[in-house]
Each structure stands twice: as structure tokens, then as C-alpha cells.
Amino acid sequence: MTSFACGVVVQLAFLALLPAEAARLRELGIREGSPIHILRNHDSLVCGVDASRVVLRKEVAQHVFAVLQPA
Amino acid sequence: MAETVPLQIVRRVALVGNPNVGKTTVFNLLTGMRQKVGNYPGVTVERKVGRLAGEPPVDIIDLPGTYSLSPKSADERIAYDVLMGHLEGETSPDLVVCVVDASNLERNLYLVSQVMDTGLPCLVALNMTDAAEEAGLHVDVAKLEQELGVPVLPLVASRNEGIGKLKYRMRQESLPEPARPRWDIMPVVEEGLPFLTDHLDGILPEHGRRIEVLQCLTNDAMLDHWARRLPAFHAAILAERERLEGLRAPYQQAEIMGRYNWISPVVARVVQRSKADTELTVSDRIDAVLTHRFAGPVLFALLLLLIFQAVFTWATPAMDWIEAGVVSLGDVVRGAAPSGMLTDLLVDGVIAGVGNVAVFLPQILLLFFFLGLMEDTGYMARSAFIMDRIMSKVGLSGGSVVPLLSSFACAIPGIMAARTLANPRDRLITIMVAPLMSCSARLPVYTLFIAAFLPTGTILGILTWQGVAMFSMYLLGTVMAFVAAFVLRRFVFNKGDSSFFAMELPPYRMPRFRQILWRMVDRSKAFVVRAGKIIFGMSIILWVAATFPRAELTPELAQEARILEVRKAERVEGLKATGMSTEEAALLIDEQFAEEDTALDARIASFRIERSVIGWMGHALEPVMRPLGFDWKISAGIISAFAAREVIISALATLYSVGDADEDSPLLREQLKADTYEDGSPVYTPLVAVSLLVFFVLALQCMSTLAIARRETNSWKWPAVMWLYMTGLAYLFSLVIYQGGQALGWG
């Protein structure tokens, strides 16, 4: 997720995190297949999930894999 | 769709919902001031219950905000346990109201689907429908109701819309029919469930067995609970996990995927979008500034500086009024009551003790107001985000910021708020450093000594030196908390993975001043009650300790007193000979001898206190505290303040009221300024004041904090370590400051 520029919408592919951490992200709406809007990508990653905003520490975001949302 | 359930005397309704969905606003609107705040039995998670007045009466339980019923932290566990009726003495609620954010329907319905699985009657309160419309989302309420199979009531809680209908549904005799699960889990997991749920036959009600099994399959904390209670079930779950792992079945995410496979199409059917959800919102634009990587921390620091400046300056008029009121009350009581021990106890012990702490209530109210404002606008969550980079350097996550900021009000809710941290190591470190954040009990001590001994005047015409000094005290505590966290992480808790940090940023909202004032009054009431209980008791104990044993005066002092009386009597007689009345002569002579009277009274009082119990204690500690610049009175005050920090104010008030050199001097700080050693040098210098302030920043002087830390860590080991390291730090820093200051000639 950290390799995408601000403003793009990505589709989440895979969460390479501990089960409990992955479960927390899924509860926050960051789950496989869901579209994620990258709002900021510096020390932390701020993303839009539906109308909510979720902040991830960069080290966490580096373990979240996504692909560009098909147009 | 509705079945009649026999009406109980008091119906119990639980409010559940994700964090930041307006659940507490709904709770406040439903219950008004009829709220009781306590703890769940055996744990320190806040239990908020309120009564919906009218017939039939309904008790409403406000459960902690949670994203799911798969608990990861202690307060999420409480939400689950209350719904499942697992808590001792608490049955499952009769009705569950799921408060849902209409603009975030998909994520919110995940929790709703879990609540539906509990088999309890439930209804959905679809809140923030206005925000959803603004975001271009239209929710078809009737269709949603049909899809879920439970009643759905649209609300705008912030404008009190829809609350009447919600109240009506809560009171209706017929409760909604218990909901049924409407989603499918992957077949490989499903096939093992009947065998597992059979283990819980007769132990849990039928409706709760399936969800309990699902939680135990993926959550070790939930499973551990069964190891002793039902070893066969525990073993069966472990065997099932092994079976699924052998099949390489992704069972850990089976529940989440299954639920979303049902929820996503439901949302697609009931929500119409008229705007793309990639448009930047007002909150996004504000965040671009307030949480900017460079500007964010600077603005955060400036905001804190502003808060402490305001706390120090805005409260002054109200503090002056209370101070004058306390003095007047003491005068009235002394004038009305017969002179004697009881009046002394009432005036010098109780009124002076409690009054001198009550004086600081305006500052405490202001501090709570600003913290409430940060919470209500959504900035408190941003502070966690802003601080995460710094927190990660000391081995913690931004999640620890909210408990630490709460500790500015009081370490107890701060330590309790650490329950939201899922990582046990982060939680323990946060608990260990939270008492270093300057709580409201330190505020009276800071104010007294800063106002009395530090210079007035302004910097750049805006900030006062005293306000900056106050900010420095808070800054010192905060920096030391970070240093302590770093040391603990590096040398004590140095095993384990790096902290995980992911959190939701709620949208910015206009503050609701009524709610802020409500919380402010609530928290201040707790402070006053605590102060009332501890300080009232301590004031009496301190007065007794400062009064007894009643030492006999030395022959020299007694003779001096007699000589003064004789001189005054002779002068009165002389004046009477000139034709003056006895009263007029006595009054005139009292005025003429006022200075001598006062000086002698002070020497007598000082002589007696030094020989009292408190004097003995202060003197016993003085050799240890003298290198920090503290005399026996300060030492005695510090001993008494180990129960609660603010007690030092009442202790000093008692000590100085008993030894009052000037009845007309109402201010404790004036009395402190005037106090001297036998050689005439002042007891309190600015250097002594700084040394004492630093001691109070760092020392752990609060029995309640130790008790809560004991409950939260389930051992006396960590509270003992906490007390020792904080007291050691306090002594060391004060020693360095005082001795260093003296060496530099600042003494």
C-alpha cells in the first residue's frame, strides 16, 4: 500500500499480518477485495474506507498488499 | 414479525455500536441526568446505566464502543460478555439497540450481524442519516429492514431527531422477534460446528453457542477461559483448529469473509450513491493542516501551551472569589462559635483544609472543559495519530496517547483507558508511565508555588512567565513519561514484535457544549467528592497531629507572655486614668501591641507544632529532605501528601493556620512567603519552590492510583515498581536541582 501515490484508489489483495492484526484491519473495513482510497502516504498511511478514514503506521501498511483498482 | 414477551418490572436495553457512531449522544438523550456510572464486577471497565423515565421504566446500558464481538481488548470483551450474559449477576439484556453510522453502513453491519447471531431481540438505530445524505448516500430504510429482518429506525441524534420513536420502540410491550443468522460460513468450518456447539449444551443458552464457538476458534483469549471451566470443549476446539490447519483452510478469516459476503450485497441493494466516495471531505481538508507531518506536532504543542495558559489565567477571578469565601466562612464560624478546640478544629482543620483545595476547582473545571472539547471535536483521536511517530520511537503506539492525555485529568481513568490497547506489553508500559502525566491533583500544588515564588511579567506581551512555568511542569512530566516508556521498552519489556497501530479518524464535528459541560460537571463532581472524602478526613487527622500532644511552654516563653500581658494591662490602666472607657483603652492597646502580639503568638505556635506529632514526623524526615531544600514543615506536608497529592495544600494550611502569625493575612501563599528559619533566612526561595514542584511532578503520591494499578495488573509487583521508580526519580531530580542551584549561587 505504501507504494501508491496519494489520490489513487486501490483494491486490497492480501494482508500479510498476524491473524489478530489482520482481523482488526478487516473489522475497520480494510479487507480483501475492498476499494481503498489512499489519502496520504508519508510516515503514516491515511486511507479512505467508504466514508471513514483509517490511519495505519507505515510498518503496518507495508504488510498490506493491494493492486490498482480497475477502472 | 413481533412476538409478545412477558414484560418484566424493568426492561434492560443495551446500546452497542462502533466507536464514533454517536452512541453516547443517543444514551444521553434517552436518559438525561438519570445516569449511574460504576464498574463491572471484578474489572475497571466503566459501566454506564441510565433510566428511561416513564412507563414501563427501562434501564439502558451504554456498552463500550466496539468494532466487533470478537474481543481484542478488555472493554470489547465486556460488550461481548454483557450481551451473552457471561457476567456474574447480569443477565443478557431484553433488547439490543445497535447504533449504526449510516455513512459507514457496510462496516457497521458487521457488528450488527454478530449481534443478530446472539439470538437476542435487536433493532438498528440508523444514526447520522444527515451526514450520509451530505456524503451523497441514500439509505432505503424499509429495504434495509427487510434485508436484515430487524426493525430499523433512522436518527439524527445530534439534532434530537428520531429519539422519540426510539423511546417508543423500547417501551413497546412486544419486543422484536429474535434475529436469525443470515450468512453462511465456509463449508469446511461449518461441518465442525455442530460437534463443538454440542459441548456447550446445558452450559450456554442455545442462541449463544454458535457465536461462542466461532470466537473460540480464532481467539485465544476467549478460549483460555474454557480451559478450566470445560476442558473437553477446550480440547475439542484445539483439535478442530488442528484439523482445519491440516486442511489448509483459512478458518481464521472464515467468519469475517462469510459475514461480508452477505453484508456487501445487502449494502449494494439498499444504498444509492450520488457522489463518488473519493471526494475529499471538509475533515480531510482540515486534517491536511492539523495532522501535517511537520505542522501537526507544532500545532499540537501550541494548543497544549494555550490550554495551560488559559487554565492558569482565566481561572484567577473565580479562584479569588472562592478564596475570599473560604476566609469569610472561617471568620463567620469563629465569630459565631465559642472559642475552643472544636472551633479551632472546624476553622483551622476542616474549613482551611477543604477550602484550600476547593479554591482550585475553577482550574480543574477549565482543564476538563478543554479535554472535553478535544474529545468532542475529534481532535483527541488526531493527537494519537500526530504523536504516533514520537511514540513509536519510545516503543509505544499512538494508541497510548489517549490514555496518557486522559491522565492529565486523573491517572485513574488514564490507567483504565489503557484497556483499549490490544497489545499487553503496550498496555503495561502505558499503565506504568501514566502517573507521570500531571494530573489535576497536582494543579493546586503547581498553582500555589508558581504564584507565590515565580516571577510575574510577560513574554512577548502574550504569555506570562507563570503560565510558561505551569506548561513546563506538564512538559517535564510528559517528557519523563516518554523516557520511562523508552527505558521500560528497551530494558524490561524488550521481547516481542513491534507495536501495531491502526485507528479510525472520526470526522471533525462541531462541539456540543451541553455534553461537554455535562462531562465537565460529572468529572469535577468526582474530584470534589474525592477531595471531600480524603481531604476532609486528612484535615482532621492533620489538625489533631499538629495540635497534640499539647506542649507546655518553656519558662522563658511563659514569662515573656506574662510580661507582655502585664505591660498591656498597665497601659490600659494608664489610659483609663485619662477618662477613657475600658473597651476603648483595650482596643487601642491591642492595636499598639499588635506587632509584638503577633510575633509572640507565632513563636508559641511554632514551639507547639514542633513538639506535636506532625512536628516529630517532619523533623524525623527532615535530614533526608534537607538536601532537597525542604524544611520539617514541607517534609511533614510531603508525608501527608503520599495519600493524595493535593493534601499537601490542606496540610500546609493546617500547619500555617495553627501557627498563623497574622490573622488578617488570608492567603496561604503569603504565609509561606513570610516563613523564615531561626536565622531569619526564608524557608521558601524560588529554588526551593522549583525543587518542590519537580518533586511533585515526578513522585507517585496517590493511593488510588496504586490501587487501580494493582487491579489492572493483577499484582502488587508493578505498583511497587511504579512507586519506587517514580519516588526515586523525584528525589534525584529535586536533589540535582537544589544542590546545582545552590552551587550556581541561585539559592
Side-chain angles (χ1 to χ4, degrees):
Chain A
M1 288 253 277
T2 51
S3 59
F4 295 102
C6 297
V8 303
V9 178
V10 298
Q11 190 171 37
L12 208 136
F14 179 62
L15 297 168
L17 291 160
L18 294 172
E21 295 171 351
R24 172 57 88 208
L25 289 195
R26 290 186 185 113
E27 286 166 9
L28 286 166
I30 301 177
R31 58 191 174 78
E32 291 83 348
S34 61
I36 310 283
H37 183 198
I38 310 284
L39 293 165
R40 199 182 317 176
N41 189 355
H42 293 299
D43 301 312
S44 306
L45 187 115
V46 181
C47 52
V49 187
D50 280 339
S52 69
R53 300 293 179 252
V54 178
V55 57
L56 305 178
R57 188 183 275 180
K58 194 165 191 160
E59 291 78 5
V60 176
Q62 280 167 343
H63 290 86
V64 179
F65 296 90
V67 290
L68 266 177
Q69 170 98 322
Chain B
M1 173 151 169
E3 75 176 24
T4 302
V5 172
L7 201 61
Q8 296 178 358
I9 298 168
V10 179
R11 180 175 283 174
R12 294 173 72 244
V13 176
L15 290 186
V16 296
N18 285 188
N20 309 308
V21 294
K23 189 168 55 64
T24 301
T25 308
V26 173
F27 177 72
N28 288 339
L29 287 169
L30 290 170
T31 59
M33 296 297 279
R34 300 170 297 277
Q35 298 180 7
K36 271 189 205 162
V37 180
N39 283 341
Y40 286 100
V43 292
T44 46
V45 175
E46 202 173 71
R47 180 183 193 273
K48 279 175 84 178
V49 180
R51 172 69 58 99
L52 175 63
E55 279 304 319
V58 177
D59 271 351
I60 301 169
I61 310 157
D62 184 18
L63 291 175
T66 180
Y67 289 107
S68 74
L69 292 184
S70 317
K72 287 165 193 65
S73 62
D75 52 352
E76 288 178 350
R77 177 72 190 252
I78 281 295
Y80 179 77
D81 285 346
V82 169
L83 292 184
M84 300 300 289
H86 284 347
L87 285 183
E88 212 181 311
E90 295 233 8
T91 53
S92 291
D94 304 307
L95 173 69
V96 184
V97 173
C98 301
V99 184
V100 161
D101 175 359
S103 60
N104 256 312
L105 202 54
E106 192 160 329
R107 194 192 69 198
N108 281 248
L109 287 184
Y110 181 77
L111 176 64
V112 174
S113 77
Q114 286 188 316
V115 172
M116 285 164 64
D117 282 10
T118 62
L120 295 167
C122 69
L123 63 84
V124 171
L126 188 68
N127 194 21
M128 302 182 185
T129 48
D130 57 337
E133 293 285 346
E134 270 175 42
L137 300 170
H138 175 72
V139 183
D140 185 335
V141 176
K143 207 166 185 178
L144 180 62
E145 195 168 270
Q146 194 187 349
E147 294 275 358
L148 298 179
V150 298
V152 178
L153 298 175
L155 294 183
V156 184
S158 58
R159 294 206 300 255
N160 202 356
E161 286 174 20
I163 296 294
K165 279 186 188 158
L166 181 60
K167 283 181 184 172
Y168 174 75
R169 286 309 298 254
M170 285 176 161
R171 285 211 192 93
Q172 262 188 332
E173 194 172 341
S174 58
L175 287 167
E177 191 179 328
R180 302 267 176 257
R182 293 178 173 233
W183 61 284
D184 297 315
I185 200 161
M186 59 177 68
V188 69
V189 178
E190 180 64 58
E191 71 188 46
L193 293 182
F195 172 70
L196 295 169
T197 49
D198 284 350
H199 280 84
L200 301 175
D201 199 3
I203 294 168
L204 291 183
E206 193 185 348
H207 60 78
R209 290 177 210 156
R210 185 182 163 91
I211 192 165
E212 181 75 21
V213 167
L214 285 174
Q215 301 319 313
C216 288
L217 259 183
T218 53
N219 190 328
D220 286 340
M222 296 284 287
L223 182 61
D224 288 349
H225 158 73
W226 291 100
R228 268 196 213 159
R229 193 173 166 198
L230 195 60
F233 175 65
H234 186 262
I237 290 279
L238 291 179
E240 180 63 5
R241 284 183 185 181
E242 217 173 291
R243 180 183 81 85
L244 293 167
E245 274 158 21
L247 293 169
R248 295 182 179 274
Y251 71 96
Q252 298 263 16
Q253 42 180 299
E255 186 193 349
I256 291 181
M257 302 319 278
R259 289 186 193 280
Y260 274 117
N261 284 343
W262 170 65
I263 294 165
S264 297
V266 167
V267 173
R269 286 193 289 272
V270 302
V271 178
Q272 280 185 321
R273 288 177 195 275
S274 58
K275 277 187 201 171
D277 60 4
T278 51
E279 275 181 33
L280 291 185
T281 62
V282 175
S283 289
D284 292 332
R285 291 177 212 286
I286 299 173
D287 268 338
V289 180
L290 291 189
T291 63
H292 185 271
R293 60 202 291 223
F294 300 121
V298 175
L299 290 170
F300 181 56
L302 283 175
L303 178 77
L304 290 184
L305 178 63
L306 181 78
I307 289 174
F308 295 121
Q309 185 71 27
V311 164
F312 199 80
T313 52
W314 295 359
T316 308
M319 289 173 74
D320 289 344
W321 296 333
I322 298 176
E323 206 164 50
V326 169
V327 173
S328 304
L329 181 66
D331 287 347
V332 167
V333 171
R334 200 178 282 285
S339 59
M341 284 269 187
L342 194 65
T343 307
D344 287 349
L345 167 66
L346 205 61
V347 176
D348 298 331
V350 178
I351 296 176
V354 177
N356 272 290
V357 175
V359 159
F360 300 96
L361 198 57
Q363 287 188 324
I364 288 156
L365 279 165
L366 272 174
L367 182 66
F368 287 154
F369 171 76
F370 284 116
L371 288 176
L373 204 60
M374 283 171 73
E375 249 177 86
D376 221 46
T377 52
Y379 187 74
M380 191 73 110
R382 267 74 185 180
S383 65
F385 168 37
I386 293 165
M387 293 297 288
D388 182 59
R389 195 160 34 134
I390 297 166
M391 300 300 280
S392 67
K393 300 262 189 302
V394 299
L396 289 177
S397 77
S400 298
V401 169
V402 174
L404 293 181
L405 275 180
S406 304
S407 300
F408 278 142
C410 177
I412 293 166
I415 287 173
M416 284 162 65
R419 279 186 161 252
T420 55
L421 301 174
N423 185 323
R425 188 203 58 211
D426 284 6
R427 189 172 157 233
L428 189 53
I429 296 177
T430 306
I431 289 172
M432 293 295 285
V433 304
L436 278 167
M437 307 301 284
S438 286
C439 62
S440 52
R442 285 171 170 110
L443 198 56
V445 187
Y446 294 168
T447 307
L448 177 69
F449 288 97
I450 288 173
F453 301 105
L454 297 189
T456 52
T458 58
I459 311 166
L460 305 171
I462 315 165
L463 304 171
T464 61
W465 278 110
Q466 294 188 337
V468 171
M470 176 77 90
F471 177 68
S472 308
M473 294 300 115
Y474 279 84
L475 190 65
L476 175 66
T478 308
V479 169
M480 288 312 296
F482 286 177
V483 172
F486 176 78
V487 171
L488 286 168
R489 177 73 182 93
R490 189 75 187 267
F491 301 106
V492 184
F493 305 103
N494 50 4
K495 287 182 189 141
D497 49 300
S498 65
S499 292
F500 170 81
F501 179 68
M503 70 176 291
E504 187 187 356
L505 295 177
Y508 286 104
R509 296 203 176 96
M510 285 300 287
R512 287 149 299 174
F513 286 98
R514 201 171 151 205
Q515 299 229 15
I516 295 174
L517 290 174
W518 220 332
R519 271 206 303 269
M520 198 172 110
V521 169
D522 225 32
R523 290 173 182 179
S524 303
K525 210 163 71 184
F527 174 84
V528 171
V529 168
R530 179 171 172 270
K533 278 183 192 162
I534 299 179
I535 295 164
F536 180 82
M538 286 301 289
S539 296
I540 293 172
I541 293 168
L542 286 168
W543 181 85
V544 170
T547 309
F548 299 102
R550 197 88 171 156
E552 285 296 317
L553 296 184
T554 59
E556 294 78 26
L557 259 180
Q559 195 176 359
E560 248 184 86
R562 270 197 306 275
I563 289 170
L564 189 65
E565 283 308 309
V566 169
R567 280 175 58 212
K568 281 166 74 179
E570 282 173 359
R571 295 286 297 275
V572 169
E573 288 304 319
L575 288 173
K576 275 164 71 180
T578 64
M580 201 182 267
S581 72
T582 310
E583 289 78 23
E584 278 176 338
L587 213 63
L588 192 66
I589 293 305
D590 276 347
E591 271 176 28
Q592 285 177 0
F593 279 78
E595 213 170 294
E596 277 183 72
D597 261 343
T598 308
L600 186 65
D601 282 349
R603 283 173 59 207
I604 291 173
S606 174
F607 173 86
R608 285 201 160 126
I609 292 170
E610 275 201 71
R611 281 148 189 84
S612 68
V613 173
I614 205 162
W616 176 81
M617 284 162 66
H619 281 296
L621 192 67
E622 193 178 9
V624 183
M625 304 305 263
R626 203 56 188 261
L628 316 186
F630 306 159
D631 78 333
W632 69 269
K633 282 185 185 170
I634 305 176
S635 305
I638 286 173
I639 294 171
S640 58
F642 271 101
R645 294 175 179 95
E646 62 272 43
V647 169
I648 194 171
I649 305 293
S650 48
L652 291 175
T654 305
L655 286 167
Y656 284 89
S657 294
V658 175
D660 194 351
D662 181 4
E663 291 290 337
D664 297 321
S665 174
L667 303 175
L668 179 58
R669 59 174 174 263
E670 296 305 323
Q671 293 165 326
L672 299 179
K673 276 179 178 174
D675 196 18
T676 57
Y677 287 108
E678 279 178 6
D679 64 3
S681 62
V683 171
Y684 294 91
T685 62
L687 185 61
V688 171
V690 172
S691 172
L692 188 61
L693 283 167
V694 169
F695 189 89
F696 269 82
V697 170
L698 301 174
L700 177 52
Q701 297 158 293
C702 181
M703 288 192 298
S704 314
T705 301
L706 287 168
I708 285 291
R710 151 79 184 83
R711 263 173 75 168
E712 292 295 302
T713 59
N714 206 22
S715 133
W716 275 113
K717 179 182 153 193
W718 293 114
V721 172
M722 190 193 278
W723 190 87
L724 284 171
Y725 98 81
M726 285 182 66
T727 308
L729 268 182
Y731 190 89
L732 187 70
F733 270 68
S734 291
L735 182 73
V736 169
I737 285 169
Y738 186 73
Q739 295 300 330
Q742 288 242 308
L744 293 168
W746 296 343

